[in-house]
Amino acid sequence: NYKGLFGNKIVKVSALEEYGLRCMLQLARKNGGPMTLPEISKAEGVSLSYAGKLLMILKKAGLVKAVRGRQGGYALVKPAEEYDLKEIFDALGEPLYNPKHCRKFTGDLVKCAHSKDCTVRDIWKEFSKIIDGVLGNMTLADVASGSYDFGNMTSNIQVGIK
């Protein structure tokens, strides 16, 4: 949960997104790695199997690679400065809003009762654009070093809802 961006409101982040980002941060703080699975697991306080699951998701998305050998483990595939957080969160979870969103909330109906006159969909679309804008302007290196400025990042965001 992150506070600050929207005042005292909380943006919910899944455990997969939280710990996946934290694994990426571990590698970024070690100059891109490599780090062994046990090292990452211990550093983040998660089980070896859960750390393995996270790293496999990140590897499948092309964000990390397995390094073989005695000094092997997992490593970033590019410098931390070249990853934006949107790329990482996209690999770890679904976007806040996507076209399939409305299909999840149909109640007992085949399709949403408000599919033709929905006023909520536009809110989710705009909110998703805001989140994507912030995440797209923040790099893994920014977060690893603590050098990001939410005020500056959010000052240029335009919201289409009036």
Side-chain angles (χ1 to χ4, degrees):
N1 293 333
Y2 296 94
K3 292 184 179 181
L5 180 59
F6 301 104
N8 287 328
K9 304 298 180 209
I10 295 175
V11 175
K12 294 191 178 191
V13 175
S14 73
L16 202 66
E17 292 163 333
E18 173 73 22
Y19 288 112
L21 175 60
R22 287 166 48 173
C23 289
M24 293 289 289
L25 287 168
Q26 284 296 329
L27 295 172
R29 290 181 179 132
K30 296 282 186 182
N31 296 316
M35 287 180 73
T36 66
L37 201 50
E39 288 173 324
I40 294 169
S41 169
K42 183 178 179 185
E44 289 307 323
V46 297
S47 70
L48 200 56
S49 63
Y50 192 58
K53 175 183 176 178
L54 294 165
L55 273 295
M56 287 307 295
I57 291 168
L58 295 167
K59 183 180 175 200
K60 186 176 178 182
L63 302 179
V64 301
K65 62 184 175 185
V67 178
R68 292 183 168 209
R70 203 172 205 351
Q71 302 297 323
Y74 286 91
L76 299 177
V77 298
K78 57 187 178 183
E81 298 81 20
E82 294 181 23
Y83 291 92
D84 64 52
L85 295 192
K86 183 180 180 326
E87 173 182 19
I88 297 167
F89 276 91
D90 284 351
L92 294 165
E94 293 184 17
L96 183 64
Y97 175 84
N98 69 43
K100 297 177 185 176
H101 178 85
C102 297
R103 289 184 220 155
K104 292 181 187 177
F105 303 99
T106 61
D108 292 332
L109 303 174
V110 174
K111 65 180 187 175
C112 179
H114 304 284
S115 61
K116 292 183 180 172
D117 63 346
C118 184
T119 57
V120 176
R121 184 178 327 135
D122 290 338
I123 293 169
W124 291 125
K125 283 181 184 179
E126 290 301 318
F127 190 60
S128 186
K129 286 181 196 175
I130 292 168
I131 298 295
D132 288 350
V134 171
L135 295 176
N137 284 306
M138 188 182 301
T139 69
L140 183 62
D142 293 335
V143 179
S145 68
S147 62
Y148 50 87
D149 178 5
F150 275 124
N152 188 39
M153 279 185 261
T154 58
S155 63
N156 295 323
I157 295 174
Q158 300 294 317
V159 181
I161 298 174
K162 300 205 188 280

Short mmCIF file of all heavy atoms in Angstrom, two decimals, residues 55-119:
data_model
loop_
_atom_site.label_atom_id
_atom_site.label_comp_id
_atom_site.label_asym_id
_atom_site.label_seq_id
_atom_site.Cartn_x
_atom_site.Cartn_y
_atom_site.Cartn_z
N LEU A 55 10.66 -14.83 -9.38
CA LEU A 55 11.75 -14.71 -10.35
C LEU A 55 11.41 -15.40 -11.67
O LEU A 55 11.81 -14.92 -12.73
CB LEU A 55 13.05 -15.25 -9.76
CG LEU A 55 13.89 -14.26 -8.95
CD1 LEU A 55 14.43 -13.14 -9.79
CD2 LEU A 55 13.23 -13.73 -7.72
N MET A 56 10.64 -16.48 -11.62
CA MET A 56 10.23 -17.13 -12.87
C MET A 56 9.28 -16.24 -13.66
O MET A 56 9.38 -16.16 -14.88
CB MET A 56 9.58 -18.49 -12.59
CG MET A 56 10.58 -19.56 -12.15
SD MET A 56 11.98 -19.77 -13.27
CE MET A 56 11.17 -20.37 -14.72
N ILE A 57 8.38 -15.55 -12.97
CA ILE A 57 7.48 -14.61 -13.65
C ILE A 57 8.29 -13.49 -14.28
O ILE A 57 8.07 -13.12 -15.44
CB ILE A 57 6.42 -14.05 -12.66
CG1 ILE A 57 5.45 -15.15 -12.24
CG2 ILE A 57 5.69 -12.85 -13.27
CD1 ILE A 57 4.56 -14.78 -11.06
N LEU A 58 9.23 -12.94 -13.53
CA LEU A 58 10.07 -11.86 -14.04
C LEU A 58 10.96 -12.33 -15.18
O LEU A 58 11.17 -11.60 -16.16
CB LEU A 58 10.91 -11.27 -12.90
CG LEU A 58 10.11 -10.57 -11.80
CD1 LEU A 58 10.98 -10.30 -10.58
CD2 LEU A 58 9.48 -9.28 -12.31
N LYS A 59 11.43 -13.56 -15.10
CA LYS A 59 12.26 -14.12 -16.18
C LYS A 59 11.42 -14.33 -17.44
O LYS A 59 11.84 -14.00 -18.55
CB LYS A 59 12.88 -15.44 -15.73
CG LYS A 59 13.80 -16.06 -16.76
CD LYS A 59 14.38 -17.36 -16.27
CE LYS A 59 15.19 -18.00 -17.40
NZ LYS A 59 15.39 -19.42 -17.18
N LYS A 60 10.23 -14.89 -17.27
CA LYS A 60 9.34 -15.12 -18.41
C LYS A 60 8.99 -13.81 -19.12
O LYS A 60 8.84 -13.77 -20.33
CB LYS A 60 8.06 -15.82 -17.93
CG LYS A 60 7.14 -16.24 -19.05
CD LYS A 60 5.94 -16.99 -18.52
CE LYS A 60 5.00 -17.35 -19.66
NZ LYS A 60 3.80 -18.03 -19.18
N ALA A 61 8.90 -12.72 -18.34
CA ALA A 61 8.60 -11.41 -18.91
C ALA A 61 9.84 -10.75 -19.53
O ALA A 61 9.73 -9.67 -20.12
CB ALA A 61 8.03 -10.50 -17.83
N GLY A 62 10.99 -11.39 -19.40
CA GLY A 62 12.22 -10.84 -19.99
C GLY A 62 12.87 -9.75 -19.16
O GLY A 62 13.69 -9.00 -19.67
N LEU A 63 12.51 -9.67 -17.88
CA LEU A 63 13.07 -8.61 -17.02
C LEU A 63 14.33 -9.05 -16.29
O LEU A 63 15.17 -8.22 -15.94
CB LEU A 63 12.02 -8.14 -16.01
CG LEU A 63 10.72 -7.59 -16.60
CD1 LEU A 63 9.77 -7.17 -15.50
CD2 LEU A 63 11.00 -6.43 -17.54
N VAL A 64 14.44 -10.35 -16.02
CA VAL A 64 15.63 -10.90 -15.38
C VAL A 64 16.09 -12.11 -16.17
O VAL A 64 15.34 -12.65 -16.99
CB VAL A 64 15.40 -11.29 -13.89
CG1 VAL A 64 14.95 -10.10 -13.07
CG2 VAL A 64 14.42 -12.44 -13.76
N LYS A 65 17.32 -12.51 -15.91
CA LYS A 65 17.86 -13.71 -16.56
C LYS A 65 18.52 -14.57 -15.51
O LYS A 65 18.94 -14.08 -14.45
CB LYS A 65 18.86 -13.33 -17.65
CG LYS A 65 20.08 -12.58 -17.12
CD LYS A 65 21.00 -12.13 -18.23
CE LYS A 65 22.13 -11.28 -17.65
NZ LYS A 65 22.98 -10.73 -18.68
N ALA A 66 18.60 -15.86 -15.79
CA ALA A 66 19.31 -16.79 -14.93
C ALA A 66 20.77 -16.82 -15.37
O ALA A 66 21.05 -16.88 -16.57
CB ALA A 66 18.69 -18.18 -15.02
N VAL A 67 21.66 -16.73 -14.41
CA VAL A 67 23.09 -16.77 -14.69
C VAL A 67 23.63 -18.07 -14.10
O VAL A 67 23.47 -18.33 -12.91
CB VAL A 67 23.82 -15.55 -14.05
CG1 VAL A 67 25.31 -15.63 -14.29
CG2 VAL A 67 23.24 -14.25 -14.57
N ARG A 68 24.22 -18.90 -14.94
CA ARG A 68 24.73 -20.20 -14.49
C ARG A 68 26.12 -20.06 -13.88
O ARG A 68 26.80 -19.08 -14.08
CB ARG A 68 24.78 -21.16 -15.67
CG ARG A 68 23.42 -21.52 -16.16
CD ARG A 68 23.52 -22.53 -17.26
NE ARG A 68 22.20 -23.06 -17.52
CZ ARG A 68 21.96 -24.26 -17.98
NH1 ARG A 68 22.96 -25.06 -18.26
NH2 ARG A 68 20.72 -24.66 -18.17
N GLY A 69 26.48 -21.10 -13.17
CA GLY A 69 27.84 -21.18 -12.64
C GLY A 69 27.94 -20.90 -11.16
O GLY A 69 26.94 -20.60 -10.49
N ARG A 70 29.14 -20.97 -10.66
CA ARG A 70 29.43 -20.81 -9.24
C ARG A 70 28.98 -19.44 -8.72
O ARG A 70 28.52 -19.33 -7.61
CB ARG A 70 30.93 -20.98 -9.03
CG ARG A 70 31.34 -21.37 -7.66
CD ARG A 70 32.80 -21.67 -7.68
NE ARG A 70 33.50 -22.50 -6.81
CZ ARG A 70 33.17 -23.09 -5.69
NH1 ARG A 70 31.99 -23.00 -5.26
NH2 ARG A 70 33.98 -23.81 -4.98
N GLN A 71 29.14 -18.44 -9.50
CA GLN A 71 28.75 -17.08 -9.11
C GLN A 71 27.40 -16.70 -9.73
O GLN A 71 27.11 -15.54 -9.92
CB GLN A 71 29.82 -16.06 -9.56
CG GLN A 71 31.20 -16.33 -8.98
CD GLN A 71 31.22 -16.22 -7.47
OE1 GLN A 71 30.56 -15.37 -6.90
NE2 GLN A 71 31.98 -17.10 -6.82
N GLY A 72 26.60 -17.71 -10.04
CA GLY A 72 25.34 -17.50 -10.74
C GLY A 72 24.21 -17.06 -9.84
O GLY A 72 24.39 -16.74 -8.67
N GLY A 73 23.04 -17.06 -10.42
CA GLY A 73 21.83 -16.62 -9.74
C GLY A 73 20.94 -15.91 -10.74
O GLY A 73 20.86 -16.30 -11.91
N TYR A 74 20.30 -14.86 -10.28
CA TYR A 74 19.46 -14.04 -11.16
C TYR A 74 20.06 -12.66 -11.29
O TYR A 74 20.65 -12.13 -10.35
CB TYR A 74 18.04 -13.95 -10.60
CG TYR A 74 17.26 -15.22 -10.78
CD1 TYR A 74 17.25 -16.21 -9.80
CD2 TYR A 74 16.54 -15.45 -11.96
CE1 TYR A 74 16.54 -17.39 -9.97
CE2 TYR A 74 15.84 -16.63 -12.13
CZ TYR A 74 15.84 -17.59 -11.14
OH TYR A 74 15.15 -18.76 -11.32
N ALA A 75 19.88 -12.08 -12.49
CA ALA A 75 20.41 -10.75 -12.76
C ALA A 75 19.43 -9.98 -13.64
O ALA A 75 18.62 -10.58 -14.36
CB ALA A 75 21.76 -10.86 -13.48
N LEU A 76 19.50 -8.68 -13.57
CA LEU A 76 18.72 -7.83 -14.46
C LEU A 76 19.24 -8.00 -15.88
O LEU A 76 20.44 -8.20 -16.08
CB LEU A 76 18.83 -6.36 -14.05
CG LEU A 76 18.34 -5.99 -12.65
CD1 LEU A 76 18.60 -4.50 -12.38
CD2 LEU A 76 16.87 -6.31 -12.47
N VAL A 77 18.36 -7.90 -16.87
CA VAL A 77 18.81 -8.02 -18.26
C VAL A 77 19.30 -6.70 -18.83
O VAL A 77 19.94 -6.68 -19.88
CB VAL A 77 17.72 -8.63 -19.19
CG1 VAL A 77 17.37 -10.03 -18.77
CG2 VAL A 77 16.49 -7.76 -19.25
N LYS A 78 19.01 -5.60 -18.15
CA LYS A 78 19.48 -4.29 -18.59
C LYS A 78 19.71 -3.43 -17.34
O LYS A 78 19.30 -3.80 -16.24
CB LYS A 78 18.46 -3.64 -19.54
CG LYS A 78 17.06 -3.48 -18.98
CD LYS A 78 16.10 -3.01 -20.06
CE LYS A 78 14.68 -2.90 -19.50
NZ LYS A 78 13.71 -2.52 -20.54
N PRO A 79 20.35 -2.28 -17.49
CA PRO A 79 20.59 -1.43 -16.33
C PRO A 79 19.29 -0.96 -15.68
O PRO A 79 18.27 -0.77 -16.36
CB PRO A 79 21.36 -0.24 -16.91
CG PRO A 79 21.94 -0.73 -18.20
CD PRO A 79 20.96 -1.76 -18.71
N ALA A 80 19.32 -0.78 -14.37
CA ALA A 80 18.13 -0.38 -13.61
C ALA A 80 17.52 0.92 -14.13
O ALA A 80 16.31 1.12 -14.04
CB ALA A 80 18.48 -0.24 -12.13
N GLU A 81 18.33 1.79 -14.70
CA GLU A 81 17.85 3.06 -15.25
C GLU A 81 16.93 2.87 -16.45
O GLU A 81 16.18 3.76 -16.82
CB GLU A 81 19.02 3.97 -15.68
CG GLU A 81 19.94 4.37 -14.57
CD GLU A 81 20.98 3.30 -14.22
OE1 GLU A 81 21.24 2.39 -15.04
OE2 GLU A 81 21.49 3.36 -13.09
N GLU A 82 17.02 1.70 -17.09
CA GLU A 82 16.25 1.44 -18.30
C GLU A 82 14.91 0.75 -18.05
O GLU A 82 14.15 0.51 -18.98
CB GLU A 82 17.09 0.63 -19.29
CG GLU A 82 18.28 1.41 -19.80
CD GLU A 82 19.11 0.62 -20.79
OE1 GLU A 82 18.59 -0.33 -21.41
OE2 GLU A 82 20.31 0.96 -20.93
N TYR A 83 14.61 0.42 -16.79
CA TYR A 83 13.32 -0.17 -16.44
C TYR A 83 12.43 0.93 -15.89
O TYR A 83 12.82 1.64 -14.97
CB TYR A 83 13.45 -1.20 -15.31
CG TYR A 83 14.17 -2.47 -15.65
CD1 TYR A 83 15.53 -2.59 -15.44
CD2 TYR A 83 13.46 -3.56 -16.14
CE1 TYR A 83 16.19 -3.78 -15.72
CE2 TYR A 83 14.12 -4.75 -16.42
CZ TYR A 83 15.48 -4.84 -16.21
OH TYR A 83 16.13 -6.01 -16.49
N ASP A 84 11.22 1.07 -16.43
CA ASP A 84 10.26 1.91 -15.73
C ASP A 84 9.34 0.99 -14.92
O ASP A 84 9.22 -0.19 -15.21
CB ASP A 84 9.49 2.86 -16.66
CG ASP A 84 8.60 2.17 -17.67
OD1 ASP A 84 7.78 1.31 -17.26
OD2 ASP A 84 8.68 2.50 -18.86
N LEU A 85 8.74 1.54 -13.88
CA LEU A 85 7.93 0.72 -13.00
C LEU A 85 6.70 0.15 -13.70
O LEU A 85 6.23 -0.93 -13.35
CB LEU A 85 7.52 1.50 -11.75
CG LEU A 85 8.65 1.90 -10.81
CD1 LEU A 85 8.07 2.40 -9.50
CD2 LEU A 85 9.63 0.79 -10.57
N LYS A 86 6.19 0.85 -14.70
CA LYS A 86 5.03 0.34 -15.44
C LYS A 86 5.37 -1.01 -16.08
O LYS A 86 4.59 -1.95 -16.01
CB LYS A 86 4.57 1.33 -16.50
CG LYS A 86 3.33 0.85 -17.24
CD LYS A 86 2.87 1.84 -18.28
CE LYS A 86 1.65 1.39 -19.04
NZ LYS A 86 1.48 -0.03 -19.31
N GLU A 87 6.55 -1.11 -16.66
CA GLU A 87 6.99 -2.36 -17.29
C GLU A 87 7.03 -3.50 -16.25
O GLU A 87 6.60 -4.62 -16.54
CB GLU A 87 8.40 -2.13 -17.87
CG GLU A 87 9.10 -3.32 -18.42
CD GLU A 87 10.50 -2.99 -18.93
OE1 GLU A 87 11.09 -1.96 -18.56
OE2 GLU A 87 11.00 -3.81 -19.72
N ILE A 88 7.49 -3.20 -15.05
CA ILE A 88 7.59 -4.21 -14.00
C ILE A 88 6.20 -4.61 -13.51
O ILE A 88 5.88 -5.78 -13.40
CB ILE A 88 8.48 -3.71 -12.85
CG1 ILE A 88 9.91 -3.49 -13.36
CG2 ILE A 88 8.45 -4.69 -11.68
CD1 ILE A 88 10.80 -2.72 -12.43
N PHE A 89 5.36 -3.61 -13.22
CA PHE A 89 4.00 -3.91 -12.74
C PHE A 89 3.18 -4.62 -13.80
O PHE A 89 2.38 -5.50 -13.48
CB PHE A 89 3.29 -2.64 -12.26
CG PHE A 89 3.64 -2.28 -10.85
CD1 PHE A 89 4.70 -1.43 -10.57
CD2 PHE A 89 2.91 -2.78 -9.78
CE1 PHE A 89 5.03 -1.11 -9.27
CE2 PHE A 89 3.23 -2.47 -8.47
CZ PHE A 89 4.29 -1.63 -8.21
N ASP A 90 3.36 -4.28 -15.07
CA ASP A 90 2.65 -4.97 -16.15
C ASP A 90 3.02 -6.45 -16.19
O ASP A 90 2.17 -7.30 -16.48
CB ASP A 90 2.94 -4.33 -17.51
CG ASP A 90 2.20 -3.03 -17.73
OD1 ASP A 90 1.32 -2.67 -16.91
OD2 ASP A 90 2.52 -2.33 -18.71
N ALA A 91 4.27 -6.77 -15.89
CA ALA A 91 4.72 -8.16 -15.89
C ALA A 91 4.14 -8.94 -14.71
O ALA A 91 3.93 -10.15 -14.80
CB ALA A 91 6.25 -8.22 -15.85
N LEU A 92 3.87 -8.24 -13.62
CA LEU A 92 3.46 -8.91 -12.38
C LEU A 92 1.95 -8.97 -12.15
O LEU A 92 1.48 -9.72 -11.31
CB LEU A 92 4.12 -8.22 -11.19
CG LEU A 92 5.64 -8.35 -11.13
CD1 LEU A 92 6.22 -7.35 -10.15
CD2 LEU A 92 6.03 -9.78 -10.77
N GLY A 93 1.19 -8.16 -12.87
CA GLY A 93 -0.25 -8.16 -12.63
C GLY A 93 -1.01 -7.54 -13.78
O GLY A 93 -0.44 -7.14 -14.78
N GLU A 94 -2.29 -7.47 -13.60
CA GLU A 94 -3.14 -6.87 -14.62
C GLU A 94 -3.17 -5.36 -14.45
O GLU A 94 -3.01 -4.85 -13.35
CB GLU A 94 -4.57 -7.40 -14.46
CG GLU A 94 -4.73 -8.85 -14.77
CD GLU A 94 -6.18 -9.29 -14.68
OE1 GLU A 94 -7.08 -8.45 -14.69
OE2 GLU A 94 -6.40 -10.51 -14.59
N PRO A 95 -3.41 -4.64 -15.53
CA PRO A 95 -3.56 -3.18 -15.39
C PRO A 95 -4.80 -2.87 -14.56
O PRO A 95 -5.70 -3.71 -14.42
CB PRO A 95 -3.72 -2.69 -16.83
CG PRO A 95 -4.06 -3.88 -17.64
CD PRO A 95 -3.59 -5.09 -16.90
N LEU A 96 -4.84 -1.69 -14.01
CA LEU A 96 -5.98 -1.28 -13.21
C LEU A 96 -7.27 -1.38 -14.02
O LEU A 96 -8.28 -1.87 -13.54
CB LEU A 96 -5.78 0.16 -12.73
CG LEU A 96 -6.85 0.72 -11.83
CD1 LEU A 96 -6.91 -0.04 -10.52
CD2 LEU A 96 -6.58 2.19 -11.55
N TYR A 97 -7.22 -0.96 -15.27
CA TYR A 97 -8.38 -1.06 -16.14
C TYR A 97 -7.94 -1.65 -17.47
O TYR A 97 -6.92 -1.27 -18.02
CB TYR A 97 -9.03 0.31 -16.40
CG TYR A 97 -10.16 0.21 -17.39
CD1 TYR A 97 -11.43 -0.16 -16.98
CD2 TYR A 97 -9.96 0.40 -18.75
CE1 TYR A 97 -12.46 -0.32 -17.88
CE2 TYR A 97 -10.99 0.24 -19.67
CZ TYR A 97 -12.23 -0.12 -19.22
OH TYR A 97 -13.25 -0.29 -20.13
N ASN A 98 -8.72 -2.57 -17.99
CA ASN A 98 -8.53 -3.06 -19.36
C ASN A 98 -9.90 -3.36 -19.93
O ASN A 98 -10.90 -3.38 -19.19
CB ASN A 98 -7.58 -4.27 -19.40
CG ASN A 98 -8.15 -5.51 -18.78
OD1 ASN A 98 -9.30 -5.86 -18.98
ND2 ASN A 98 -7.32 -6.21 -18.01
N PRO A 99 -10.00 -3.56 -21.22
CA PRO A 99 -11.32 -3.78 -21.84
C PRO A 99 -12.11 -4.94 -21.25
O PRO A 99 -13.33 -4.96 -21.32
CB PRO A 99 -10.98 -4.04 -23.31
CG PRO A 99 -9.68 -3.34 -23.52
CD PRO A 99 -8.93 -3.47 -22.22
N LYS A 100 -11.45 -5.91 -20.63
CA LYS A 100 -12.13 -7.05 -20.02
C LYS A 100 -12.71 -6.71 -18.65
O LYS A 100 -13.45 -7.50 -18.07
CB LYS A 100 -11.17 -8.22 -19.88
CG LYS A 100 -10.66 -8.75 -21.19
CD LYS A 100 -9.67 -9.87 -20.96
CE LYS A 100 -9.05 -10.31 -22.28
NZ LYS A 100 -8.02 -11.33 -22.06
N HIS A 101 -12.38 -5.53 -18.14
CA HIS A 101 -12.80 -5.13 -16.79
C HIS A 101 -14.31 -5.28 -16.59
O HIS A 101 -14.75 -5.84 -15.60
CB HIS A 101 -12.37 -3.67 -16.55
CG HIS A 101 -12.79 -3.13 -15.23
ND1 HIS A 101 -12.05 -3.32 -14.09
CD2 HIS A 101 -13.88 -2.41 -14.86
CE1 HIS A 101 -12.66 -2.74 -13.07
NE2 HIS A 101 -13.76 -2.18 -13.51
N CYS A 102 -15.07 -4.79 -17.51
CA CYS A 102 -16.54 -4.79 -17.36
C CYS A 102 -17.13 -6.21 -17.35
O CYS A 102 -18.19 -6.43 -16.78
CB CYS A 102 -17.18 -3.94 -18.45
SG CYS A 102 -16.70 -2.21 -18.33
N ARG A 103 -16.43 -7.16 -17.97
CA ARG A 103 -16.92 -8.53 -17.99
C ARG A 103 -16.85 -9.19 -16.61
O ARG A 103 -17.52 -10.19 -16.36
CB ARG A 103 -16.12 -9.36 -18.99
CG ARG A 103 -16.43 -8.97 -20.41
CD ARG A 103 -15.70 -9.89 -21.37
NE ARG A 103 -15.20 -9.06 -22.46
CZ ARG A 103 -14.17 -9.34 -23.22
NH1 ARG A 103 -13.51 -10.45 -23.03
NH2 ARG A 103 -13.80 -8.54 -24.18
N LYS A 104 -16.01 -8.65 -15.74
CA LYS A 104 -15.86 -9.21 -14.39
C LYS A 104 -17.02 -8.82 -13.47
O LYS A 104 -17.21 -9.44 -12.44
CB LYS A 104 -14.57 -8.71 -13.75
CG LYS A 104 -13.32 -9.22 -14.39
CD LYS A 104 -12.13 -8.66 -13.62
CE LYS A 104 -10.83 -8.96 -14.28
NZ LYS A 104 -9.73 -8.35 -13.55
N PHE A 105 -17.73 -7.76 -13.81
CA PHE A 105 -18.73 -7.21 -12.90
C PHE A 105 -20.12 -7.20 -13.53
O PHE A 105 -20.77 -6.17 -13.63
CB PHE A 105 -18.31 -5.80 -12.46
CG PHE A 105 -16.97 -5.79 -11.80
CD1 PHE A 105 -15.83 -5.42 -12.50
CD2 PHE A 105 -16.83 -6.18 -10.48
CE1 PHE A 105 -14.59 -5.44 -11.90
CE2 PHE A 105 -15.59 -6.20 -9.86
CZ PHE A 105 -14.46 -5.83 -10.58
N THR A 106 -20.57 -8.38 -13.92
CA THR A 106 -21.87 -8.50 -14.57
C THR A 106 -22.97 -8.93 -13.62
O THR A 106 -24.13 -8.97 -14.00
CB THR A 106 -21.80 -9.52 -15.72
OG1 THR A 106 -21.44 -10.79 -15.17
CG2 THR A 106 -20.80 -9.11 -16.78
N GLY A 107 -22.59 -9.23 -12.39
CA GLY A 107 -23.59 -9.76 -11.46
C GLY A 107 -24.12 -11.08 -11.99
O GLY A 107 -23.36 -11.93 -12.43
N ASP A 108 -25.42 -11.24 -11.98
CA ASP A 108 -26.04 -12.47 -12.49
C ASP A 108 -26.37 -12.39 -13.97
O ASP A 108 -26.95 -13.32 -14.54
CB ASP A 108 -27.34 -12.76 -11.71
CG ASP A 108 -27.06 -13.13 -10.27
OD1 ASP A 108 -25.97 -13.66 -9.99
OD2 ASP A 108 -27.94 -12.88 -9.42
N LEU A 109 -26.01 -11.28 -14.60
CA LEU A 109 -26.33 -11.07 -16.01
C LEU A 109 -25.20 -11.56 -16.91
O LEU A 109 -24.08 -11.77 -16.46
CB LEU A 109 -26.58 -9.58 -16.26
CG LEU A 109 -27.68 -8.93 -15.41
CD1 LEU A 109 -27.72 -7.44 -15.66
CD2 LEU A 109 -29.03 -9.57 -15.72
N VAL A 110 -25.50 -11.69 -18.20
CA VAL A 110 -24.49 -12.09 -19.17
C VAL A 110 -23.50 -10.95 -19.39
O VAL A 110 -22.30 -11.17 -19.54
CB VAL A 110 -25.16 -12.50 -20.51
CG1 VAL A 110 -24.12 -12.77 -21.57
CG2 VAL A 110 -26.06 -13.71 -20.29
N LYS A 111 -24.00 -9.72 -19.42
CA LYS A 111 -23.12 -8.56 -19.54
C LYS A 111 -23.58 -7.49 -18.56
O LYS A 111 -24.70 -7.54 -18.04
CB LYS A 111 -23.07 -8.02 -20.97
CG LYS A 111 -24.36 -7.45 -21.50
CD LYS A 111 -24.14 -6.96 -22.93
CE LYS A 111 -25.37 -6.23 -23.42
NZ LYS A 111 -25.18 -5.64 -24.72
N CYS A 112 -22.74 -6.54 -18.31
CA CYS A 112 -23.02 -5.50 -17.32
C CYS A 112 -24.31 -4.77 -17.67
O CYS A 112 -24.56 -4.42 -18.83
CB CYS A 112 -21.85 -4.52 -17.26
SG CYS A 112 -22.11 -3.17 -16.08
N ALA A 113 -25.09 -4.51 -16.66
CA ALA A 113 -26.37 -3.80 -16.83
C ALA A 113 -26.15 -2.37 -17.33
O ALA A 113 -27.07 -1.76 -17.87
CB ALA A 113 -27.13 -3.77 -15.51
N HIS A 114 -24.95 -1.87 -17.19
CA HIS A 114 -24.66 -0.48 -17.59
C HIS A 114 -23.73 -0.40 -18.79
O HIS A 114 -23.08 0.63 -19.02
CB HIS A 114 -24.03 0.26 -16.41
CG HIS A 114 -24.87 0.24 -15.19
ND1 HIS A 114 -25.99 1.01 -15.04
CD2 HIS A 114 -24.77 -0.51 -14.07
CE1 HIS A 114 -26.54 0.76 -13.88
NE2 HIS A 114 -25.83 -0.17 -13.27
N SER A 115 -23.65 -1.46 -19.58
CA SER A 115 -22.70 -1.49 -20.69
C SER A 115 -22.94 -0.37 -21.71
O SER A 115 -21.99 0.08 -22.34
CB SER A 115 -22.71 -2.85 -21.38
OG SER A 115 -23.98 -3.13 -21.91
N LYS A 116 -24.17 0.08 -21.86
CA LYS A 116 -24.45 1.14 -22.84
C LYS A 116 -24.38 2.54 -22.26
O LYS A 116 -24.13 3.51 -22.97
CB LYS A 116 -25.83 0.92 -23.47
CG LYS A 116 -25.86 -0.32 -24.34
CD LYS A 116 -27.18 -0.48 -25.02
CE LYS A 116 -27.14 -1.74 -25.87
NZ LYS A 116 -28.41 -2.10 -26.43
N ASP A 117 -24.61 2.67 -20.95
CA ASP A 117 -24.65 4.01 -20.35
C ASP A 117 -23.73 4.13 -19.13
O ASP A 117 -24.03 4.83 -18.18
CB ASP A 117 -26.09 4.36 -19.97
CG ASP A 117 -26.66 3.42 -18.91
OD1 ASP A 117 -26.05 2.36 -18.67
OD2 ASP A 117 -27.71 3.74 -18.34
N CYS A 118 -22.60 3.44 -19.19
CA CYS A 118 -21.71 3.38 -18.03
C CYS A 118 -21.00 4.72 -17.80
O CYS A 118 -20.41 5.29 -18.71
CB CYS A 118 -20.66 2.29 -18.22
SG CYS A 118 -19.60 2.10 -16.78
N THR A 119 -21.08 5.20 -16.59
CA THR A 119 -20.35 6.42 -16.22
C THR A 119 -19.15 6.08 -15.34
O THR A 119 -18.31 6.94 -15.10
CB THR A 119 -21.27 7.39 -15.46
OG1 THR A 119 -21.82 6.73 -14.33
CG2 THR A 119 -22.38 7.90 -16.36
#
